[in-house]
Amino acid sequence: MISEKQLAANRRNAQFSTGARTEAGHARSSLNNLRHGLTGQIAILPTEDREAHDRFCGALIDSLKPETPIELQLAQSVAEDNWRLNRARAIETNIFALGHEGERRELQVALADARTFKAEANQFQLLTIYEQRINRSMHRNLQQLKTLQAERREQSERALEEAQLLAQQSLLNGLPYDPAKDGFVFSNAEINRAIDRGNRLREAKLHHVKNAQPKPIAARAA
């Protein structure tokens, strides 16, 4: 049991931890659940749309495997463009659906589609332009992301090759090798695995070439 003095102190402290007290503070707090999980920016979406949006974009971003901040930004842009493209297509479908109210038979539905397309031609044209812009943006960002990732992989492979050469030279000289002193981020275990893989790959290639050579035809008996 706590004393009356401690209880009184707890009550006083509780008065200072009731969350936002001003209208501005409540307004800021109410926006916390609207912040995007990756960017931290405010994006107003219905709760169910926010969850679907984050799952959709998160899965796409993971599949693109970004490893640097700029790669993450480009991957985020690609995911957002795909979300917008799907939304534009859903809007197009919903415009047609508006013209189906009260329609049942296939012929009536087909005629309703034609009437809707004719009546909403401007909206469909705007959606088409919107989709084209999204597609251009998406392909541009995706190409930039692929280019950056290819450059990063090439730099990493080149650095690993250099680290292998330096590690093997140190081994020949009977000296321990510290990759960090040469500015490498690889561990000795990673370097040794790469060396071992390279040796086994060379042996496999030599074995393949040797077995692929045509065998001499045995001389016929006289």
Side-chain angles (χ1 to χ4, degrees):
M1 297 292 292
I2 63 175
S3 65
E4 289 295 329
K5 184 176 181 180
Q6 289 173 321
L7 180 59
N10 290 343
R11 288 172 177 169
R12 288 194 301 271
N13 291 334
Q15 296 178 357
F16 297 99
S17 59
T18 54
R21 302 176 66 87
T22 66
E23 292 185 5
H26 283 297
R28 286 192 298 272
S29 297
S30 66
L31 293 176
N32 287 339
N33 64 335
L34 301 178
R35 292 188 182 277
H36 193 280
L38 290 173
T39 66
Q41 301 298 315
I42 298 295
I44 299 176
L45 289 173
T47 303
E48 61 276 10
D49 284 356
R50 163 59 64 196
E51 294 174 356
H53 171 276
D54 289 351
R55 285 196 304 270
F56 177 85
C57 290
L60 271 180
I61 291 170
D62 288 342
S63 70
L64 294 172
K65 296 179 174 58
E67 293 189 12
T68 65
I70 186 61
E71 288 181 11
L72 178 59
Q73 176 66 29
L74 289 170
Q76 175 69 29
S77 297
V78 171
E80 293 283 355
D81 284 340
N82 275 279
W83 173 265
R84 294 187 184 99
L85 191 59
N86 289 343
R87 182 173 58 189
R89 291 168 178 168
I91 291 172
E92 182 180 34
T93 301
N94 292 337
I95 291 176
F96 278 117
L98 289 174
H100 291 175
E101 293 178 325
E103 303 292 348
R104 291 293 181 270
R105 300 177 59 181
E106 292 183 5
L107 179 59
Q108 291 173 330
V109 169
L111 291 175
D113 282 345
R115 289 194 297 269
T116 300
F117 187 81
K118 182 178 180 180
E120 303 293 341
N122 290 337
Q123 298 301 322
F124 285 117
Q125 183 179 10
L126 288 175
L127 278 174
T128 300
I129 295 173
Y130 183 60
E131 290 180 2
Q132 290 173 348
R133 289 176 178 174
I134 292 173
N135 269 310
R136 286 196 297 269
S137 173
M138 180 177 62
H139 288 299
R140 182 175 61 251
N141 289 326
L142 186 58
Q143 185 58 47
Q144 290 179 358
L145 175 61
K146 289 181 177 180
T147 299
L148 285 175
Q149 290 178 324
E151 291 175 353
R152 173 172 52 77
R153 285 192 294 268
E154 183 180 352
Q155 291 174 357
S156 179
E157 291 172 0
R158 186 164 55 248
L160 183 57
E161 290 177 0
E162 294 174 356
Q164 291 178 66
L165 292 174
L166 292 173
Q168 290 173 318
Q169 184 63 40
S170 294
L171 180 63
L172 290 175
N173 294 332
L175 299 173
Y177 181 62
D178 183 4
K181 288 185 177 180
D182 289 321
F184 297 120
V185 297
F186 311 110
S187 66
N188 276 310
E190 289 176 306
I191 296 173
N192 290 334
R193 283 196 298 269
I195 293 173
D196 178 66
R197 180 180 181 276
N199 291 335
R200 289 186 291 108
L201 185 59
R202 282 190 292 274
E203 290 177 2
K205 288 180 178 179
L206 289 174
H207 181 74
H208 176 74
V209 171
K210 182 178 179 180
N211 290 336
Q213 291 178 350
K215 296 181 180 179
I217 300 176
R220 295 181 180 180

